[in-house]
Amino acid sequence: MKKILLILAAIVALTFNSIATEIGYTTGNCDRTTPFSANNTANQGQAIRLSHEKIQLLKGHSISAINAAFGSKNTIDNKVTLFIAESLDSEPIGSQEATITKANDWLSYSLDEPYVITGDESELYIGFKGTLIIASYKMLSADRTA
């Protein structure tokens, strides 16, 4: 009986662990010493790139949320645009406006319309862009160990 219970517990644990996967890298560190600015303009943004090989591994799965940390919430109306695109120069496959509620902390945004990975994409970019009120603010944040 104990063996059956252990096997059932293992199956339940494996099932719940495979429901969601996080893509990206961080140690979780996010503080006031990590913000930076990529250039001298008020338009800022960051994205992670998924290669075609990674996309093949994720084929059929959906992207349903984006977690991000912002160095400043001083954007126009405290808003950013979350996006999923096949290239940084193309029209996004999906985008959604989001409100930055606090800086220097991880925020999670559920997407209104999750994107299902077809496997036909050559690459995918998942990220955000926003316009700062003053260009000297630092909207981007990085994990010091990454």
Side-chain angles (χ1 to χ4, degrees), residues 38-99:
N39 54 37
N40 293 327
T41 70
N43 296 319
Q44 297 286 312
Q46 277 184 308
I48 61 169
R49 177 186 164 269
L50 300 181
S51 67
H52 184 68
E53 294 77 20
K54 176 70 88 172
I55 290 168
Q56 293 305 305
L57 296 172
L58 298 170
K59 182 178 178 176
H61 290 82
S62 64
I63 301 168
S64 59
I66 295 177
N67 296 335
F70 305 98
S72 173
K73 66 178 191 171
N74 294 316
T75 60
I76 295 174
D77 297 328
N78 295 343
K79 302 279 187 194
V80 292
T81 300
L82 307 173
F83 68 85
I84 300 170
E86 289 192 51
S87 82
L88 293 175
D89 299 325
S90 68
E91 210 42 50
I93 297 167
S95 66
Q96 176 177 317
E97 190 173 71
T99 302

Side-chain angles (χ1 to χ4, degrees), residues 31-37 70-72 104 137-142:
D31 58 40
R32 292 201 176 276
T33 62
T34 60
F36 66 97
S37 176
F70 305 98
S72 173
N104 303 307
Y137 287 133
K138 295 177 172 68
M139 179 179 162
L140 310 181
S141 187

Side-chain angles (χ1 to χ4, degrees), residues 108-131:
S108 182
Y109 300 97
S110 294
L111 300 177
D112 294 337
E113 294 181 31
Y115 176 75
V116 178
I117 299 171
T118 65
D120 297 331
E121 303 90 351
S122 59
E123 57 189 8
L124 279 177
Y125 290 86
I126 305 166
F128 65 85
K129 58 185 176 179
T131 303

